[in-house]
Amino acid sequence: MRHFDVLIVGGGSAGSVLASRLSENADCQVALLETGEWPTDPDIAKPDMWPLIQGRDYDWQYATLPQAGTANRIHPWPRGRIVGGSSCLHAMAHVRGHQDDFAAWAQVTGDENWSWQGLLPWFIKSEHFSNGASAVHGVDGPLDVWLPDAEVHPLVKSYMQAGLNQGAPWLGDHNTGLLCGVAPNALTIRDGKRVSAADAWLKPARERRNLTLLLRTQVETLLLKGSNIAGVACTIAGEAHTLSADTVILAAGALASPALLMRSGVGCASELEAHGIVCQLPLDLVGKNLHDHLLAAGNVWLARQPIGKTRLQHSESLMYLHSADITRRDAQPDIVLGCVCAPSVAPTFPQPEPGSTYTLLCGVTRPTSRGQITLTGAHSSDKLRIDPAYLQTEQDRRTFVKALKIARQIGNDAALGAWREKEWLPGESVQDDAALADFIARAVITHHHPVGTCQMGKTAQDSVVDGRLRIHGLDNGYVVDASVIPSITCGPVHAAILAIAESFAGRFRQN
Ligand SMILES: Cc1cc2nc3c(=O)[nH]c(=O)nc-3n(C[C@H](O)[C@H](O)[C@H](O)COP(=O)(O)OP(=O)(O)OC[C@H]3O[C@@H](n4cnc5c(N)ncnc54)[C@H](O)[C@@H]3O)c2cc1C
């Protein structure tokens, strides 16, 4: 049996960072196990292609259960099955979050490493920022973070001006710890091409003699021995193998990491036993606390003039606001708007011709609905039961209505006069809160940010991993990916996941 110092399961966003950073220590034999292969599709690198590459053979193509809160719709959930993982599919918006998002993480773990101040050095270390170094930005890191200016679509510039006219403050940069106001999206793009986590971290490291990349490798179960993970059972190019290690790190993402734990006998005993899995380590919260951002697609406008193509990635400025007072600058935002310069309309509605409409997306930044992932069988080929419990709380539904009203208010501003013919969706006849809530249920789509299924915390009663991301009850097993996020950041989650992996690797190496 081959033995490694560290086995990393999953070569996605977090896994790429971990493999690169942990193999900087030439004495540490690291293996990265990834089901997919290196990207070969040239469309992955093209920023405007991101909505069109979903469903190709490097997408796991998950789907939720029908959602009672969204008119019983099933929501497709793309996830990368490729080196670089979901960073090869994502929309490239780089938004760290509001500083108070991380205060909540520090509070549930009692570990200040997860506060904004604790994570800031890792955000800085990870990036090569286009506008230079500062107290909050770095230029020596592997990931290109580019703040566009002239390249922003003229329609999106008008929408940004509309936000300012309506009283939203100017922010300029989503990555300073504050989030409310108007700013173009910072993008992980270099010379017009997507930069995935694998491009940034893994490619420069892949020739290291102490880093073994095992691709087309599907980890089936963890091999538990007492309070240790002795290794993993996997298939490599379809052949069964076992590998052993001193340390095993799960970085298979918010769906596959909890699924792997459950298939290996770590989870809620009664749920596992229902599938004939012997519970080896009871840990009730594995797979629970699933949550995601939704966007209503949305407040759609018929255009007065043809809308030209994007030079970036269609949705070029997320606008975070506090719905009770959109002039507030320091607040933790509760809603988000976005302006898409290509048709973006939920599948429930007729699809408009390209160039004929634009969409003001809107959403809730801190959803309170919580769902779960469960197994349907003991084998990795058995589908996951994914229930994000979308829009199950009154608070989420109410805040969504506020977000739609503010999207409309900004959509009607004079700055968009040259673009606006008239509102198409929800349509002028839809005005009262009940009708707006009904429209939202039919219009929401995922923002692609599932998190929380192996949440960090203090004890096995309130979490799956501790503040060091070690699985409760196991001495040498960790989870380091989107699953450990206990409560979602206000913005897209990728920047935070990279910082989690950087922080973990930095601290792991010190031990
Ligand atoms: C369409 C889309 C758009 C998005 N847009 C944005 C955006 O603009 N900004 C943003 O911040 N975030 C965005 N996201 C979210 C972001 O990309 C993800 O949250 C992030 O990449 C998740 O990182 P991860 O490391 O947790 O998992 P992943 O990157 O998904 O990595 C998991 C890896 O594990 C591998 N794996 C799984 N199971 C096994 C197994 N059993 N054995 C071996 N390997 C396995 C997978 O193949 C995958 O490579 C988007 C996501 C999608 C899908």
Side-chain angles (χ1 to χ4, degrees):
M1 192 190 307
R2 282 182 82 183
H3 184 85
F4 296 90
D5 296 317
V6 179
L7 279 184
I8 301 165
V9 181
S13 299
S16 296
V17 176
L18 294 168
S20 167
R21 292 302 187 194
L22 297 180
S23 65
E24 282 172 0
N25 173 3
D27 295 332
C28 183
Q29 289 294 329
V30 177
L32 181 66
L33 282 52
E34 165 58 44
T35 307
E37 299 185 71
W38 282 100
T40 51
D41 180 353
D43 288 343
I44 291 173
K46 299 174 189 161
D48 64 332
M49 285 296 288
W50 79 264
L52 303 176
I53 60 177
Q54 294 162 28
R56 296 190 182 175
D57 61 1
Y58 45 83
D59 175 1
W60 287 92
Q61 301 182 48
Y62 291 103
T64 68
L65 295 180
Q67 293 295 291
T70 70
N72 284 322
R73 285 181 297 136
I74 291 171
H75 297 259
W77 274 16
R79 295 278 101 191
R81 178 188 182 153
I82 191 166
V83 179
S86 300
S87 75
C88 294
L89 296 184
H90 79 0
M92 293 150 283
H94 190 80
V95 180
R96 292 175 183 173
H98 187 272
Q99 54 197 5
D100 293 349
D101 300 344
F102 304 101
W105 301 8
Q107 205 216 331
V108 294
T109 54
D111 184 342
E112 282 303 311
N113 282 295
W114 301 118
S115 67
W116 167 256
Q117 283 305 332
L119 279 168
L120 185 56
W122 306 107
F123 281 123
I124 292 173
K125 184 181 167 83
S126 68
E127 73 176 6
H128 175 83
F129 184 53
S130 61
N131 293 19
S134 68
V136 288
H137 280 296
V139 291
D140 298 325
L143 183 72
D144 289 85
V145 176
W146 172 50
L147 199 53
D149 179 16
E151 299 80 359
V152 174
H153 195 287
L155 163 67
V156 179
K157 285 187 177 159
S158 301
Y159 142 88
M160 291 165 70
Q161 185 57 51
L164 294 172
N165 291 351
Q166 291 298 316
W170 174 250
L171 177 69
D173 176 4
H174 288 125
N175 291 314
T176 63
L178 298 183
L179 206 50
C180 279
V182 177
N185 290 344
L187 300 168
T188 50
I189 293 177
R190 177 178 56 222
D191 301 333
K193 292 191 175 150
R194 170 197 297 274
V195 182
S196 73
D199 294 327
W201 276 272
L202 201 54
K203 272 189 187 160
R206 68 176 159 177
E207 301 301 336
R208 288 182 193 149
R209 292 165 66 95
N210 60 323
L211 175 61
T212 304
L213 298 184
L214 294 171
L215 307 185
R216 298 174 66 201
T217 300
Q218 165 89 14
V219 176
E220 301 292 341
T221 51
L222 308 172
L223 303 174
L224 267 62
K225 201 170 171 193
S227 62
N228 260 300
I229 304 180
V232 302
C234 58
T235 56
I236 304 180
E239 256 185 47
H241 289 263
T242 53
L243 305 170
S244 66
D246 295 337
T247 299
V248 176
I249 305 174
L250 303 191
L255 309 180
S257 285
L260 187 50
L261 282 172
M262 289 188 276
R263 286 203 307 272
S264 309
V266 180
C268 171
S270 58
E271 288 174 19
L272 299 185
E273 281 153 16
H275 300 295
I277 301 168
V278 177
C279 181
Q280 307 208 44
L281 177 62
L283 208 42
D284 283 355
L285 295 186
V286 175
K288 310 290 192 299
N289 189 43
L290 173 65
H291 54 299
D292 185 21
H293 286 138
L294 284 170
L295 289 172
N299 181 211
V300 184
W301 299 80
L302 296 177
R304 179 177 286 261
Q305 53 169 309
I307 299 166
K309 285 194 169 158
T310 180
R311 285 199 275 170
L312 301 171
Q313 40 69 280
H314 308 290
S315 153
E316 303 172 359
S317 166
L318 292 163
M319 194 187 298
Y320 293 90
L321 299 169
H322 197 277
S323 62
D325 176 2
I326 68 168
T327 66
R328 284 182 68 181
R329 180 183 296 277
D330 295 347
Q332 193 181 16
D334 62 349
I335 63 165
V336 60
L337 310 183
C339 178
V340 190
C341 50
S344 177
V345 179
T348 337
F349 302 99
Q351 299 299 302
E353 287 299 311
S356 66
T357 62
Y358 54 94
T359 300
L360 300 190
L361 301 167
C362 60
V364 171
T365 55
R366 286 177 282 133
T368 52
S369 300
R370 294 291 184 270
Q372 64 175 319
I373 288 165
T374 42
L375 301 178
T376 62
H379 195 263
S380 64
S381 59
D382 294 317
K383 277 199 166 160
L384 290 182
R385 211 170 157 274
I386 300 171
D387 180 8
Y390 280 146
L391 295 176
Q392 284 306 298
T393 67
E394 181 59 29
Q395 185 177 329
D396 290 355
R397 293 190 293 268
R398 237 190 354 247
T399 313
F400 237 114
V401 169
K402 290 185 200 165
L404 180 52
K405 287 180 178 172
I406 292 171
R408 266 183 161 169
Q409 178 189 336
I410 288 175
N412 274 308
D413 185 84
L416 281 161
W419 297 98
R420 182 178 56 236
E421 183 63 39
K422 65 176 201 147
E423 184 181 287
W424 180 47
L425 290 175
E428 280 162 18
S429 64
V430 182
Q431 290 296 342
D432 66 56
D433 285 7
L436 290 172
D438 177 64
F439 169 76
I440 287 163
R442 289 179 294 124
V444 285
I445 54 176
T446 176
H447 202 176
H448 305 292
H449 304 155
V451 298
T453 47
C454 299
Q455 61 189 303
M456 56 170 106
K458 291 189 183 118
T459 68
Q461 281 67 50
D462 64 29
S463 54
V464 174
V465 297
D466 64 18
R468 304 192 74 85
L469 307 187
R470 186 163 47 192
I471 300 162
H472 294 298
L474 292 176
D475 296 333
N476 68 338
Y478 300 83
V479 184
V480 185
D481 60 24
S483 345
V484 301
I485 292 176
S487 49
I488 197 162
T489 54
C490 286
V493 289
H494 195 239
I497 293 165
L498 300 173
I500 288 170
E502 285 276 23
S503 164
F504 172 87
R507 289 195 277 159
F508 185 85
R509 283 191 56 184
Q510 281 163 14
N511 290 337

